[in-house]
């Protein structure tokens, strides 16, 4: 077993675009007993694969005399959806005080991707020895939890009879919200807009993360300060108050909470000073701002379908100039795209059965053109087992079809949209559909495709298009609504941007992981956007 010691200090693994942190809890069951006079003293070591080597990230504490340990120490990892994050959990029996792992007895290990763990939320697996055989009856249980407080607070604030600060008119009030910083000083969290010429302002409702406002602690004191705006920046102090989020939550739409706004200097000087006005909390609501990982941990499955372009412009697959020619290394640009996207997404589908469809070819026995056929030639069951199954079906079908045309996308988009529409009837965040279309050229049915994409934008569905070869892909860029809203030929606008297009040629000479990052970068946001738009929380979510 070749293990690498951790860099010192351990640096962050992965790209800087961290989605969030995941906490992993580890338990062992029926571990091997390596000690003669007592039971094993197990500890668990976490490794991550970095550039083909296992690098140690962290270790748990040692559980003394325990073959069924539940470790108190948790592993915390940055989670990146668009990467394959390979992890290894190795258990050892502590024999000496040495930090060198070869000094301790090996109790078994288990390897998987972080995606596999978060998509199941909790997994129990057999521990294996170095020879691949089970480590006795030893098992490991790994449970995942997102490490973030996703609560947000929405406040509607108003004022009444605030002090008049302007000589010739009324005040121009605004509010500032502060929380105590680590240094004991007040730290600005939020500033409202200015309401001009009034002593009875009504500010627009605003939403901030609860962690920002009070570090997620409902009883923590916060300070609200009211100023009169001056264009020269010398804003006049009207008054302030201290309260807690728990107190703010007493405000309901029917019964607002009223808090006195106090100017301490005036309070000291004037005996009959009452206040400098009233700050009114019209309503206070705490809700959860769910993340992509919340939906995955809640049980949402990503349903993956591949659509492959078999039009004549690809060239004869027997000839090396063809985009469908499988080179001596067993690959081509179509297969590279399938692997890049499929190996990430397959972790998020429990049965790992993926429909693989072709378009633009003539099929035996009558050689009619089809724009929506199962590449395994089984229309009733177009499913392939894992990414390997798609690759096998693709290679097997090539000699049996005739490349033809035209390049029609709409039939395959509508095919997946029908299943996505059925999923909406459950009215839960349980399924989201991803269609990967790999194509070499210009779309023939642009009007129908635009219409299909606009309709699909209302469904739990995203479309990834990978352009292979060196064709002009301007039409694909048009479908990818990053720069403008896509409209159908009738003028109807897409509800949201669901198409991500990348030309494969931009990724020919870079590590294969780079393509997956580029095509999957927008997907988590598209999943969250859809379910939020439908007001669907994760299936197993807790109330705020």
């Amino acid at each position: 077993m070749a293990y690498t010691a951790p860099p010192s200090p351990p640096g962050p693994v992965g790209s800087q675009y961290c989605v969030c942190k995941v906490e992993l809890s580890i338990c062992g069951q029926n571990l091997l007993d390596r000690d003669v006079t007592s039971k094993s003293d197990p500890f668990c070591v976490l490794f991550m694969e970095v550039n083909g080597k296992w690098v140690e990230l962290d270790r748990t504490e040692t559980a003394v005399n325990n073959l069924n340990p539940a470790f108190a120490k948790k592993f915390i990892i940055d989670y990146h959806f668009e990467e394959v994050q390979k992890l290894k959990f190795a258990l050892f029996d502590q024999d000496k005080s040495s930090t060198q792992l070869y000094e301790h007895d090996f109790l078994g290990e288990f390897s998987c991707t972080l995606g596999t763990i978060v998509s199941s939320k909790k997994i129990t697996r057999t521990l294996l020895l170095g020879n691949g055989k089970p480590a006795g009856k030893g098992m490991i249980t790994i449970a995942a939890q997102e490490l973030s407080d996703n609560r947000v607070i929405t406040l509607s604030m108003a004022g009444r009879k605030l002090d008049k600060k302007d000589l010739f008119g009324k005040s121009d009030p605004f509010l500032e919200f502060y929380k105590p910083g680590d240094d004991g000083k007040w730290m600005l969290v939020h500033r409202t807009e200015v309401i001009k010429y009034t002593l009875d302002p009504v500010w627009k409702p605003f939403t901030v993360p609860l962690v920002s406002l009070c570090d997620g602690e409902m009883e923590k004191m916060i300070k609200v300060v009211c100023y009169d705006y001056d264009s020269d920046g010398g804003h006049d102090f009207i008054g302030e108050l201290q309260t807690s989020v728990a107190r703010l939550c007493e405000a309901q739409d029917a019964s607002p909470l009223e808090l006195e706004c106090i100017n301490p200097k005036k309070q000291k000087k004037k005996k009959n000073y009452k206040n400098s006005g009233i700050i009114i909390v019209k309503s206070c609501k705490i809700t959860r701002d769910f993340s992509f990982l919340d939906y995955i941990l809640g049980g949402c499955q990503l349903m993956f379908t591949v659509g492959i372009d078999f039009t004549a412009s690809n060239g004869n697959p027997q000839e090396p100039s063809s985009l469908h020619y499988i080179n001596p290394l067993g690959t081509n640009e179509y297969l590279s795209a399938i692997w890049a996207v499929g190996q990430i997404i397959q972790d998020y589908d429990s049965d790992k059965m993926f429909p693989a469809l072709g378009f633009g070819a003539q099929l035996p026995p009558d050689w009619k053109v089809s724009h929506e056929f199962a590449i395994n030639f089984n229309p009733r069951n177009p499913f392939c087992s894992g990414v390997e199954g798609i690759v096998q079906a693709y290679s097997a079908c090539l000699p049996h079809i005739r490349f033809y045309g035209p390049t029609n996308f709409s039939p395959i988009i509508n095919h997946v949209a029908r299943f996505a529409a059925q999923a909406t009837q459950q009215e839960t965040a349980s399924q989201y559909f991803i269609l990967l279309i790999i194509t070499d050229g210009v779309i023939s049915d642009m009007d129908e495709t635009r219409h299909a994409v606009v309709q699909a934008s209302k469904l739990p569905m995203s479309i990834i298009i990978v352009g292979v070869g060196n064709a002009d892909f301007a039409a694909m860029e048009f479908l990818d609504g990053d720069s403008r809203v896509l409209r159908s030929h009738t003028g109807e606008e897409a509800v949201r941007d669901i198409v991500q297009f990348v030309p494969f040629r931009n990724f020919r000479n870079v590590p294969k992981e780079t393509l997956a990052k580029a095509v999957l970068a927008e997907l988590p946001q598209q999943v969250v956007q859809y379910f939020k738009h439908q007001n669907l929380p994760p299936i197993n979510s807790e109330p705020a």
Side-chain angles (χ1 to χ4, degrees):
M1 293 188 307
Y3 294 117
T4 310
S8 189
V13 175
S15 70
Q16 74 253 38
Y17 304 111
C18 176
V19 177
C20 52
K21 292 187 182 294
V22 175
E23 180 185 80
L24 302 178
S25 303
I26 313 297
C27 298
Q29 297 92 34
N30 303 315
L31 300 184
L32 287 172
D33 195 352
R34 297 290 198 194
D35 292 353
V36 180
T37 54
S38 61
K39 296 190 172 87
S40 291
D41 305 324
F43 64 96
C44 182
V45 185
L46 171 64
F47 300 88
M48 180 181 275
E49 190 178 271
V50 181
N51 300 326
K53 289 182 179 174
W54 290 111
V55 175
E56 180 180 337
L57 292 189
D58 208 352
R59 301 183 181 190
T60 65
E61 79 281 10
T62 298
V64 179
N65 278 341
N66 194 340
L67 302 183
N68 299 284
F71 296 105
K73 167 83 182 277
K74 313 295 184 191
F75 294 135
I76 295 170
I77 304 180
D78 290 349
Y79 166 75
H80 304 274
F81 166 71
E82 70 283 1
E83 293 177 18
V84 176
Q85 294 176 275
K86 288 187 182 169
L87 304 178
K88 180 184 281 186
F89 302 84
L91 285 133
F92 295 87
D93 170 25
Q94 182 162 352
D95 280 341
K96 304 176 178 133
S97 58
S98 170
T99 58
Q100 301 297 323
L101 291 176
Y102 61 78
E103 299 270 12
H104 307 284
D105 291 328
F106 179 56
L107 299 176
E109 65 186 20
F110 167 67
S111 303
C112 67
T113 63
L114 183 55
T116 300
I117 301 168
V118 298
S119 65
S120 303
K121 198 169 184 182
K122 188 176 186 180
I123 59 173
T124 299
R125 297 288 187 270
T126 302
L127 287 167
L128 301 176
L129 296 171
N131 59 10
K133 291 183 178 173
K137 294 180 180 176
M139 308 287 280
I140 186 170
T141 298
I142 307 158
Q145 184 176 353
E146 184 173 2
L147 260 199
S148 68
D149 187 336
N150 59 11
R151 292 173 297 171
V152 293
I153 182 166
T154 302
L155 287 164
S156 295
M157 309 291 294
R160 188 173 71 242
K161 294 184 180 174
L162 298 178
D163 280 0
K164 180 171 169 284
K165 289 289 182 182
D166 292 351
L167 204 55
F168 301 109
K170 297 181 177 177
S171 294
D172 305 319
F174 67 93
L175 298 178
E176 289 187 342
F177 289 75
Y178 292 83
K179 70 175 177 183
D182 294 336
D183 56 1
K185 294 176 182 171
W186 290 102
M187 188 170 123
L188 179 64
V189 173
H190 180 78
R191 181 183 290 121
T192 67
E193 78 280 16
V194 176
I195 307 290
K196 291 275 193 179
Y197 317 122
T198 180
L199 303 179
D200 304 298
V202 177
W203 290 281
K204 288 178 189 167
F206 66 91
T207 301
V208 291
L210 199 61
V211 169
S212 299
L213 185 61
C214 62
D215 299 325
E217 297 170 31
M218 305 283 281
E219 301 298 336
K220 182 176 265 191
M221 293 310 288
I222 61 170
K223 183 164 78 168
V224 184
V225 186
C226 185
Y227 289 100
D228 167 37
Y229 173 83
D230 275 342
S231 55
D232 63 3
H235 310 307
D236 296 319
F237 175 73
I238 293 176
E240 65 182 30
L241 61 95
Q242 289 192 26
T243 184
S244 67
V245 171
R247 180 87 206 280
L248 296 179
C249 286
E250 293 171 18
Q252 302 296 327
D253 289 333
S255 57
L257 176 69
E258 299 197 351
L259 302 165
E260 285 190 311
C261 188
I262 302 296
N263 182 328
K265 284 183 181 174
K266 279 191 177 182
Q267 196 177 34
K268 277 182 184 172
K269 281 183 186 172
K270 296 182 180 178
K271 283 187 178 176
N272 59 350
Y273 174 82
K274 205 170 172 191
N275 57 49
S276 293
I278 302 292
I279 299 295
I280 304 161
V281 187
K282 292 168 65 185
S283 77
C284 172
K285 290 190 175 76
I286 294 177
T287 52
R288 291 194 181 273
D289 186 17
F290 294 112
S291 69
F292 173 71
L293 196 50
D294 287 322
Y295 284 102
I296 295 298
L297 289 168
C300 180
Q301 297 275 299
L302 300 184
M303 318 300 283
F304 180 46
T305 301
V306 179
I308 301 172
D309 179 342
F310 291 112
T311 53
S313 52
N314 282 278
N316 181 344
Q318 305 299 321
E319 295 172 8
S321 59
S322 169
L323 291 165
H324 280 291
Y325 174 75
I326 297 176
N327 65 30
L329 296 173
T331 188
N332 60 30
E333 292 190 359
Y334 279 90
L335 287 171
S336 297
I338 291 168
W339 274 114
V341 179
Q343 69 173 346
I344 304 277
I345 292 178
Q346 69 176 352
D347 283 344
Y348 299 88
D349 185 332
S350 55
D351 69 3
K352 299 189 179 10
M353 297 298 290
F354 307 120
L357 308 172
F359 60 93
Q362 294 174 316
L363 305 186
D366 53 5
W367 303 109
K368 282 185 179 167
V369 177
S370 173
H371 296 290
E372 184 191 340
F373 65 90
I375 65 170
N376 65 1
F377 299 117
N378 185 348
R380 288 188 177 175
N381 185 10
F383 295 92
C384 302
S385 178
V387 182
E388 293 91 345
I390 298 174
V391 170
Q392 287 164 8
Y394 166 79
S395 304
C397 89
L398 283 173
H400 301 292
I401 59 176
R402 289 180 191 161
F403 290 15
Y404 204 69
T407 307
N408 290 356
F409 278 17
S410 60
I412 276 188
I413 295 173
N414 290 330
H415 174 100
V416 175
R418 284 195 293 275
F419 290 95
Q422 284 175 8
T424 61
Q425 292 167 13
Q426 297 176 38
E427 295 184 354
T428 58
S430 56
Q431 291 182 323
Y432 192 92
F433 291 76
I434 295 142
L435 169 60
L436 169 65
I437 298 177
I438 314 168
T439 181
D440 84 315
V442 182
I443 302 174
S444 308
D445 63 337
M446 193 59 178
D447 281 355
E448 291 85 351
T449 294
R450 278 163 56 193
H451 184 71
V453 171
V454 167
Q455 298 312 309
S457 72
K458 304 169 191 171
L459 299 170
M461 175 173 170
S462 288
I463 301 166
I464 296 164
I465 303 173
V466 176
V468 295
N470 296 312
D472 174 13
F473 292 121
M476 309 297 181
E477 304 280 8
F478 176 75
L479 289 175
D480 186 342
D482 282 349
S483 55
R484 69 177 89 71
V485 177
L486 179 71
R487 285 185 171 83
S488 75
H489 59 285
T490 62
E492 185 182 357
E493 288 188 353
V495 179
R496 57 198 182 94
D497 174 21
I498 63 165
V499 177
Q500 174 76 349
F501 167 73
V502 297
F504 189 90
R505 58 179 172 240
N506 294 359
F507 299 89
R508 280 178 188 149
N509 302 312
V510 294
K512 61 181 188 296
E513 297 83 16
T514 318
L515 174 66
K517 287 181 190 177
V519 296
L520 295 172
E522 293 180 13
L523 189 69
Q525 179 187 335
Q526 290 173 355
V527 172
V528 171
Q529 192 184 26
Y530 173 78
F531 288 128
K532 277 189 182 169
H533 194 257
Q534 301 297 317
N535 286 322
L536 291 174
I539 300 167
N540 303 318
S541 62
E542 298 169 11

